[in-house]
Amino acid sequence: MNWMDLLLDLDGYSIIGTVAFAVSGYLLGVRKHLDLLGVVIVTLLTAIGGGIIRDMLVGRMPMVFLDNTNLVVIALTVLLAWLVRLHKRENEVLTTLFIIADSIGLVAFSLAGAKLGVEFHLNAFGVILLGFVTAVGGGIVRDMMVNDVPFILHKDFYGTVSIVVAALLFLLSRFGWDHLLAVQLVFVAGVALRLLAHWGELSLPKLAAQRKGRDN
């Protein structure tokens, strides 16, 4: 199996998502001025949190407890980030790198989770839910750890992108179109949508309670 074929496999997008979310967790830890242990904890939870929730939903032992691949990938990613001195970059650069890494991780994990749902022969709701929790679970844990409101609750079509990507993969699998090029196009389109939503400051409508005027 070459690297292109790997992108059609669950493990391929899982590795991409793990690397991307490890980078986003590392960058957020640096931006929040955490100590070394704090950065490691935030990085680890960001990269594996969604996968643990996904595995529990399908009734299996989380893969990170059985296979060291993701832990090795996270360790190498953090080491490389430290060697290229990402922590020394200016804050604006860190923010941009964080958004790009987070977007890649979001879409990659959406595909990985949805593909697992397809392999388990789940219905549309099940496939989309697995993609969704795999993609946003780690980010929610990450943001809560640093006392931020999770992106999924208020920004950038964050959760919506995950739902759309997972739904597209489900439809492709139903029609037998989930081949290499189609899945790659979904991946690229999902990342582009997330970045467009962020830099274009697009968001879903917010529901706000109407304030009552004072009685005269």
Side-chain angles (χ1 to χ4, degrees):
M1 179 182 292
N2 58 40
W3 71 272
M4 292 290 286
D5 293 332
L6 188 61
L7 289 182
L8 271 178
D9 187 75
L10 170 64
D11 293 336
Y13 281 105
S14 180
I15 290 173
I16 293 172
T18 299
V19 172
F21 269 178
V23 171
S24 77
Y26 177 87
L27 292 174
L28 186 63
V30 171
R31 288 169 56 202
K32 294 293 185 178
H33 306 291
L34 305 183
D35 62 17
L36 178 60
L37 180 59
V39 171
V40 170
I41 291 173
V42 170
T43 300
L44 187 64
L45 292 177
T46 305
I48 67 174
I52 290 176
I53 298 172
R54 174 201 66 203
D55 290 340
M56 293 175 64
L57 284 175
V58 297
R60 74 179 188 183
M61 180 71 68
M63 294 303 295
V64 71
F65 297 159
L66 305 173
D67 185 354
N68 293 324
T69 301
N70 282 342
L71 296 177
V72 172
V73 168
I74 293 168
L76 292 176
T77 301
V78 171
L79 177 60
L80 181 61
W82 180 77
L83 288 175
V84 300
R85 301 175 70 81
L86 283 185
H87 53 286
K88 295 295 184 180
R89 308 291 180 178
E90 295 181 3
N91 193 55
E92 290 184 2
V93 175
L94 291 179
T95 300
T96 300
L97 291 175
F98 169 79
I99 293 299
I100 293 173
D102 192 60
S103 300
I104 293 172
L106 175 78
V107 178
F109 271 162
S110 296
L111 287 172
K115 196 164 192 311
L116 182 64
V118 171
E119 292 175 358
F120 272 73
H121 306 290
L122 302 183
N123 61 14
F125 177 76
V127 170
I128 293 171
L129 181 62
L130 281 193
F132 184 77
V133 299
T134 306
V136 307
I140 290 175
V141 174
R142 173 197 67 205
D143 293 340
M144 292 177 65
M145 287 285 292
V146 297
N147 202 32
D148 283 346
V149 178
F151 271 178
I152 185 178
L153 299 181
H154 68 112
K155 281 191 176 182
D156 307 338
F157 289 157
Y158 195 79
T160 308
V161 171
S162 176
I163 293 171
V164 169
V165 168
L168 286 175
L169 185 67
F170 173 79
L171 291 174
L172 289 176
S173 68
R174 284 292 172 151
F175 290 103
W177 297 341
D178 52 341
H179 49 74
L180 177 62
L181 180 60
V183 176
Q184 286 180 334
L185 287 175
V186 171
F187 176 74
V188 172
V191 174
L193 176 60
R194 162 75 171 115
L195 294 177
L196 176 65
H198 176 76
W199 283 315
E201 297 183 351
L202 305 176
S203 62
L204 294 176
K206 291 181 172 63
L207 301 179
Q210 186 176 3
R211 294 182 179 180
K212 295 182 178 180
R214 294 182 178 179
D215 294 329
N216 292 329

